[in-house]
Amino acid sequence: MFLGVDSGGTKTAFILISSSGEIIATHNEATSYYLEIGLETSKRVISRGLMALCAKAAITPEKITYSFFGLPAYGEDRQATQLLDALPEGVLSKTQYSCGNDMVCGWAGSLGGLDGINIVAGTGSIGYGEYKGNSARAGGWSELIGDEGSGYWIAGRGLALFSRMADGRAKKGPLFDIIMDKLKLRDPLDLVGLIHGDWNGDRSKIAGLSKYVNEAANLGDGAALDIFRAAGKELAQVVDVTRINLSWPDGEFVPVSYSGGVFAAGDMILGPLKEHLSDKYSHYDLLPPAFSPVIGAALYAAKSVGVTLPMHSLT
């Protein structure tokens, strides 16, 4: 049995898959993003999720052949990496798992572990690809430094647009009324107290506001539409740089897929992404994701020990 764990900005998903491709059990916990909740809390989330998953599957942790834990920000802080590697300890032995960045889960799921590039746009954003045994990443610099095209990035630009609309620096469009209504603001300036006071700048909550930018864009708010166009352009650049860093031969088709909550916006984000990809390289092949990132984590766990899971049973 192979365990996949995909931790993102809003939740930690667990899945257990047999060698015949049968999904044995699934479980969700809160985020285990250590930069947001701390390493001790991350360890508790992982341990609690593992025990809950094993209880659902009616097995002991020793029965798990191998596991892959996709963790946000893994590998981006040398001092933290060793501590992140130890998160599953106490439930699993060191020979039962490996840890890596959650970008690997998105790639393995969306492309079934085949050569190509996956672009993640969830709370944050990052690109990851593999080609003939080589791997490369781009983006994923955190919300304060980069994460262009992510939910947090879209929300931040949406909130800035709201402030300009409130001041009169921009013409009021649907976004203004949507945010006033959805966040139950009596006065536009109440937004400051909500974000910095009640929410304490919570990364995930702020990223969740990107859905209001999408709603406004669907109602014809031109400025909100521009935010999604800019997001698509940024994500396309991440993909293109990843291709270049992989030394993908010119003229060869590059499979590209995607994962993350931003893509729930559908053509609002996929349209600009496809347009800007084709502007950069004519041989990109944008494909819908084959599987979810958590299934990708389990596929990667099996691949790590030389096992190929039959994917037809996972659809």
Side-chain angles (χ1 to χ4, degrees):
M1 290 179 284
F2 298 95
L3 168 68
V5 180
D6 174 55
S7 177
T10 57
K11 70 175 182 179
T12 305
F14 298 75
I15 194 167
L16 193 63
I17 299 177
S18 72
S19 57
S20 63
E22 175 191 0
I23 296 176
I24 300 169
T26 61
H27 182 72
N28 288 335
E29 287 282 345
T31 181
S32 56
Y33 182 40
Y34 80 98
L35 289 175
E36 190 169 303
I37 64 175
L39 278 163
E40 285 303 314
T41 303
S42 295
K43 188 176 182 69
R44 287 196 293 271
V45 170
I46 292 293
S47 297
R48 186 171 63 237
L50 285 172
M51 296 310 296
L53 185 76
C54 288
K56 289 181 177 180
I59 63 165
T60 59
E62 292 80 11
K63 296 292 185 182
I64 297 172
T65 305
Y66 203 71
S67 316
F68 179 75
F69 292 78
L71 306 172
Y74 182 94
E76 296 164 9
D77 181 334
R78 294 181 188 277
Q79 293 180 334
T81 298
Q82 187 174 357
L83 298 172
L84 292 173
D85 280 331
L87 290 182
E89 286 183 13
V91 179
L92 299 175
S93 72
K94 291 182 179 180
T95 60
Q96 283 181 287
Y97 73 88
S98 61
C99 298
N101 195 286
D102 60 325
M103 65 187 179
V104 177
C105 305
W107 166 79
S110 67
L111 293 168
L114 301 177
D115 283 353
I117 298 168
N118 185 66
I119 182 70
V120 180
T123 303
S125 65
I126 192 168
Y128 176 78
E130 293 196 7
Y131 178 72
K132 294 190 180 302
N134 296 318
S135 63
R137 61 167 281 179
W141 286 86
S142 84
E143 66 274 12
L144 293 179
I145 304 173
D147 278 359
E148 295 87 350
S150 68
Y152 190 97
W153 187 90
I154 291 169
R157 275 141 191 80
L159 293 176
L161 175 59
F162 172 85
S163 74
R164 294 197 298 273
M165 289 177 174
D167 286 346
R169 289 178 288 147
K171 181 181 178 181
K172 284 183 179 176
L175 180 68
F176 181 82
D177 290 331
I178 288 170
I179 289 181
M180 289 293 295
D181 177 58
K182 300 291 187 179
L183 299 184
K184 297 179 171 53
L185 305 177
R186 293 184 180 180
D187 183 273
L189 278 172
D190 291 341
L191 179 66
V192 178
L194 177 68
I195 297 291
H196 295 290
D198 296 352
W199 290 4
N200 194 30
D202 186 285
R203 176 175 176 264
S204 299
K205 288 182 178 178
I206 293 171
L209 298 178
S210 62
K211 62 179 177 288
Y212 300 142
V213 184
N214 181 30
E215 186 176 337
N218 278 314
L219 290 174
D221 190 317
L225 278 166
D226 287 342
I227 293 173
F228 273 92
R229 293 190 187 104
K233 183 177 182 179
E234 294 285 357
L235 296 175
Q237 186 171 15
V238 171
V239 170
D240 200 50
V241 167
T242 304
R243 172 186 65 86
I244 293 169
N245 291 341
L246 284 171
S247 299
W248 206 288
D250 288 342
E252 279 194 17
F253 278 96
V254 183
V256 177
S257 195
Y258 48 89
S259 55
V262 168
F263 291 104
D267 286 342
M268 189 69 67
I269 185 67
L270 289 172
L273 173 61
K274 186 179 295 185
E275 175 188 345
H276 289 291
L277 282 176
S278 62
D279 286 345
K280 293 180 178 299
Y281 181 70
S282 61
H283 290 77
Y284 282 123
D285 189 10
L286 188 61
L287 306 168
F291 304 106
S292 65
V294 69
I295 289 179
L299 293 174
Y300 196 80
K303 181 180 179 180
S304 298
V305 291
V307 175
T308 300
L309 296 181
M311 289 183 284
H312 65 273
S313 58
L314 296 173
T315 56

